Amino acid sequence: MANQILKAPEGAPSDVERIKEESDYLRGTLKESMLERLSAGISDDDNRLMKHHGSYLQDDRDLRNERQKQKLEPAYQFMLRVRLPGGVATPDQWLVMDDLANKYGNGTLKLTTRMTFQMHGILKWNMKPTIQGIHASLMDTIAACGDVNRNVMCVANPYQSTVHEEVYQWSKKLSDDLLPRTRAYHEIWLDEERVAGTPDIEEVEPMYGPLYLPRKFKIGIAVPPSNDVDVFSQDLGLIAIVENDKLVGFNVAIGGGMGMSHGDKATYPQLAKVIGFCKPEQIYDVAEKVITIQRDYGNRSSRKNARFKYTVDRLGLENVVEELHNRLGWSLDEAKPFNFDHNGDRYGWVKGVKGKWNFTLFIEGGRVTDYENYKLMTGIREIAKIHKGDFRLTANQNLIIGNVSTQKKKKIDEIIEKYGLTDGKHYSALRRSALACVALPTCGLAMAEAERYLPTLIDKIDEIVDQNGLNDKEITIRMTGCPNGCARHALGEIGFIGKAPGKYNMYLGAAHDGTRLSKMYRENIGEEEILKELGTILPRYAKERKENEHFGDFVIRAGIIKATTDGTNFHD
Ligand code: SRM
Ligand code: SF4
């Protein structure tokens, strides 16, 4: 199968490759480590494997210094991420997550930018009952992290309900079919007995093989005109083509990703490129072959350059497409026209098909908890107790109470009112268009605050917005605590990347519909300078913008920032 032209980079394999190789298909010594009681943590090797089971060992960084002073080990705890294709959960599943978060986690649920639940603060000895609880409600955490295909995203758009349902079914099928086949998860967490004997490698992991992928792999499906899933940020993006209200197939886009490292120009965010069109029933074949190309030619030596976007840029898009066609044994058709107009959510009640209603709830920073004056978690719990439809977690960290009958709508409205649950419409459109990654205190990679800080920064930006009559302008604003880009910062019309406590790089010029990356405007600035910069640019936007001109387009036309035309010129 190896192509003469295409080659994987040379170089010694990274340590993670060794760990995977020695792990016996993701088992390692995890079973024993989880039983060991001397430390609340686990070894680095096991932690690497743990990711493939949907979890990370973390420590509470707010307590780090104090515990160090007291010569205690860090306040170890686990983060757990659920695999929830398309972000769809039943009311019963919501209740289970709520219960587990309160029993074993830190009493909060994080709705992530990839449409799923994360729980934080789980102690080692509570991991097994938590995973078992999730499994009993027909969800799992397999492959939610790690060097495999991750949670498959799919449009959460409630007003194209028929197509949504069909596309959701495809995202679920893709997610299930592309799962690792090893039984390690079932043995470690669900007490499954290991079958004796040494099975054939082909039988254990026919697609991934014993080393799995060089890096994580992500798939998202968008239905135009909504690009809520930021389809071009995915390793493999699928754009549903709908003709006469029917799904006819998908445009295929490859090679997107957001992560980079400060000061390292060999790393950059990149947008996926559209390479053709296929019929719905062909997407598994396409996904599998794209994944195997990355498996065979991705960089296993440097994890910083291991994502598929770098493989595509290194090998050349045309060569990768040729290889894909060879592996498929057939060729993609020419891509069909499509048009996106936004990547945010639409809030409040929207009527879908068959007389069913959908309510998009604004969840700031995706954090569901009971605040002192806002009983958000309790309110949603009360809805889940009577709701007969579904919940849809959106790519913008919000929540859709979906498929509500007219009769139930009244009851749900009463609960919404009782708990003051908000669709965010009384906030500025800027706040409703904000995304922030978790960052401190749980993320081990955070260099600055994001989720805990962005709301207060927006309070101050809102004053400028208000003074300039921009209250209803949906300007996407995204903040991450480091350049990994978990809130897809490079696709925010205003983006901030954490550099150090209280310091951010500021980015401008991304397209409102997720089709153009931003560019750095100012480096390493604090709140005062951020407000000074926006205090000049936003009033100009208010006065000088053309009709319907989005902020990201305006800053380029006005000469405030140069357009990024490709990820490879992101740093220029
Ligand atoms: Fe992410 C790592 C949180 C979406 C790019 N991400 C992490 C870790 C696990 C930190 C770590 O490695 O120790 C973060 C855990 C923080 C915590 O305390 O919970 C973390 N990522 C998140 C979430 C929860 C952010 C959020 O606030 O919603 C998102 C969970 C998604 C999910 O449900 O699966 C999340 N991460 C993303 C996205 C957005 C997306 O996928 O649409 C990206 C950019 C897209 C991409 O992958 O290119 C993203 N996360 C990263 C990277 C950089 C990867 C790279 O290519 O360089 C890392 C670091 C790494 O992999 O080494 C990372
Ligand atoms: Fe952590 Fe960085 Fe991701 Fe934010 S962007 S959650 S700080 S890894």
Side-chain angles (χ1 to χ4, degrees):
M1 181 61 80
N3 184 306
Q4 295 303 309
I5 310 169
L6 307 185
K7 287 200 171 42
E10 288 173 5
S14 74
D15 204 37
V16 181
E17 296 299 311
R18 176 199 52 85
I19 296 168
K20 286 184 285 184
E21 189 171 12
E22 291 172 2
S23 75
D24 188 15
Y25 297 95
L26 309 180
R27 291 178 177 86
T29 52
L30 259 176
K31 206 171 186 171
E32 298 74 25
S33 289
M34 296 309 286
L35 291 172
E36 190 273 324
R37 289 293 150 111
L38 282 176
S39 162
I42 56 175
S43 71
D44 282 351
D45 280 17
D46 279 339
N47 194 29
R48 283 287 176 179
L49 297 175
M50 189 74 174
K51 299 177 188 186
H52 300 80
H53 299 252
S55 177
Y56 278 65
L57 174 68
Q58 305 184 315
D59 72 295
D60 186 333
R61 294 181 57 182
D62 286 347
L63 305 178
R64 210 181 256 182
N65 289 346
E66 189 48 39
R67 289 184 68 94
Q68 223 164 13
K69 261 190 238 156
Q70 293 183 24
K71 299 204 170 12
L72 294 168
E73 74 170 11
Y76 286 129
Q77 52 186 39
F78 288 82
M79 172 274 267
L80 191 59
R81 191 182 286 167
V82 174
R83 183 177 67 97
L84 198 68
V88 178
T90 64
D92 283 348
Q93 288 172 333
W94 182 279
L95 290 173
V96 167
M97 290 309 299
D98 173 308
D99 181 50
L100 292 171
N102 282 298
K103 208 187 274 172
Y104 299 124
N106 64 0
T108 77
L109 284 172
K110 171 84 179 180
L111 311 188
T112 76
T113 53
R114 289 192 75 76
M115 320 177 97
T116 190
F117 298 105
Q118 265 189 201
M119 289 168 60
H120 291 99
I122 309 170
L123 297 176
K124 185 158 107 173
W125 20 96
N126 290 332
M127 281 294 285
K128 211 162 154 180
T130 308
I131 291 180
Q132 292 189 343
I134 289 171
H135 186 254
S137 76
L138 305 181
M139 294 180 288
D140 60 57
T141 66
I142 308 174
C145 319
D147 295 344
V148 285
N149 177 56
R150 305 286 189 86
N151 198 35
V152 178
M153 296 169 80
C154 127
V155 67
N157 184 347
Y159 35 101
Q160 288 164 309
S161 315
T162 323
V163 178
H164 171 271
E165 180 53 29
E166 205 178 338
V167 170
Y168 161 64
Q169 291 303 337
W170 283 112
S171 69
K172 192 162 161 10
K173 187 167 163 37
L174 268 184
S175 177
D176 293 345
D177 290 353
L178 296 171
L179 275 182
R181 303 276 169 86
T182 170
R183 299 306 292 174
Y185 181 89
H186 300 80
E187 290 163 21
I188 296 167
W189 308 106
L190 307 174
D191 296 327
E192 184 180 282
E193 287 292 327
R194 188 167 188 181
V195 181
T198 318
D200 193 72
I201 289 178
E202 281 294 304
E203 266 172 48
V204 189
E205 289 295 6
M207 181 179 74
Y208 289 114
L211 295 177
Y212 296 84
L213 299 180
R215 208 60 163 87
K216 57 178 81 167
F217 191 92
K218 298 182 173 178
I219 302 179
I221 313 183
V223 182
S226 171
N227 188 16
D228 58 348
V229 301
D230 272 329
V231 74
F232 301 109
S233 71
Q234 314 282 336
D235 294 273
L236 172 61
L238 297 167
I239 300 161
I241 303 296
V242 180
E243 289 172 4
N244 302 322
D245 290 333
K246 294 230 157 12
L247 177 73
V248 293
F250 297 94
N251 278 351
V252 177
I254 58 168
M258 295 284 103
M260 61 172 204
S261 307
H262 283 312
D264 180 356
K265 289 194 176 176
T267 66
Y268 49 84
Q270 180 60 288
L271 293 188
K273 315 265 186 323
V274 176
I275 57 166
F277 169 87
C278 70
K279 296 201 188 76
E281 60 277 15
Q282 293 173 320
I283 57 171
Y284 174 77
D285 207 10
V286 170
E288 186 198 39
K289 301 300 183 298
V290 169
I291 287 174
T292 59
I293 292 175
Q294 164 67 348
R295 178 198 66 194
D296 297 344
Y297 300 116
N299 190 332
R300 291 187 184 263
S301 177
S302 160
R303 288 185 66 81
K304 278 192 171 185
N305 286 101
R307 290 295 294 273
F308 186 49
K309 60 182 174 181
Y310 301 119
T311 312
V312 172
D313 288 353
R314 179 171 43 80
L315 300 176
L317 185 68
E318 280 174 18
N319 292 326
V320 174
V321 173
E322 194 186 322
E323 176 68 8
L324 174 63
H325 290 169
N326 286 343
R327 289 188 185 211
L328 285 169
W330 53 272
S331 296
L332 294 169
D333 285 342
E334 202 177 309
K336 304 229 180 224
F338 62 94
N339 183 42
F340 288 123
D341 63 17
H342 65 280
N343 59 357
D345 286 344
R346 295 288 175 260
Y347 293 92
W349 282 111
V350 175
K351 199 166 186 181
V353 288
K354 296 183 198 151
K356 291 293 171 76
W357 292 86
N358 303 281
F359 184 82
T360 305
L361 198 58
F362 171 64
I363 313 273
E364 193 150 41
R367 187 67 64 173
V368 177
T369 188
D370 277 345
Y371 300 91
E372 205 181 319
N373 297 315
Y374 184 36
K375 302 293 173 214
L376 176 62
M377 197 168 200
T378 305
I380 301 176
R381 187 184 310 131
E382 292 308 309
I383 291 175
K385 283 183 191 163
I386 62 150
H387 184 32
K388 299 280 177 239
D390 53 35
F391 285 106
R392 293 180 214 158
L393 284 62
T394 82
N396 287 293
Q397 301 171 321
N398 293 307
L399 182 67
I400 297 176
I401 303 160
N403 272 317
V404 179
S405 64
T406 304
Q407 190 198 11
K408 268 276 144 58
K409 179 174 179 285
K410 203 162 160 267
K411 291 217 164 72
I412 289 181
D413 261 336
E414 282 166 17
I415 301 174
I416 288 174
E417 188 149 331
K418 179 172 171 197
Y419 290 93
L421 305 183
T422 179
D423 59 9
K425 286 193 178 151
H426 61 285
Y427 291 131
S428 67
L430 178 90
R431 189 183 296 273
R432 289 198 305 270
S433 309
L435 267 187
C437 74
V438 182
L440 292 160
T442 52
C443 179
L445 306 178
M447 300 170 179
E449 296 280 354
E451 182 194 320
R452 293 196 296 194
Y453 170 55
L454 188 59
T456 51
L457 179 65
I458 291 181
D459 286 344
K460 292 169 190 164
I461 301 175
D462 265 351
E463 289 175 25
I464 308 170
V465 161
D466 218 26
Q467 284 157 13
N468 290 280
L470 295 171
N471 238 301
D472 61 347
K473 284 282 157 261
E474 288 169 355
I475 303 171
T476 51
I477 176 165
R478 297 176 172 186
M479 175 175 275
T480 59
C482 84
N484 283 317
C486 299
R488 298 184 291 271
H489 62 278
L491 285 169
E493 291 174 284
I494 304 174
F496 297 103
I497 301 185
K499 258 231 124 171
K503 296 285 183 188
Y504 298 86
N505 288 352
M506 178 174 168
Y507 293 77
L508 295 175
H512 187 73
D513 60 0
T515 55
R516 184 183 56 241
L517 294 165
S518 58
K519 195 172 278 306
M520 186 156 76
Y521 173 69
R522 290 285 180 265
E523 194 172 1
N524 205 26
I525 58 175
E527 184 174 289
E528 208 180 311
E529 291 138 295
I530 291 172
L531 294 174
K532 201 167 141 227
E533 293 294 353
L534 290 176
T536 312
I537 302 169
L538 286 169
R540 280 192 65 186
Y541 175 58
K543 285 194 206 85
E544 299 169 30
R545 74 176 186 275
K546 290 186 180 163
E547 206 185 335
N548 298 327
E549 187 175 29
H550 288 295
F551 183 74
D553 299 333
F554 167 77
V555 287
I556 291 171
R557 186 179 59 79
I560 296 168
I561 195 88
K562 219 165 71 176
T564 296
T565 52
D566 186 80
T568 49
N569 62 48
F570 180 77
H571 298 291
D572 297 347

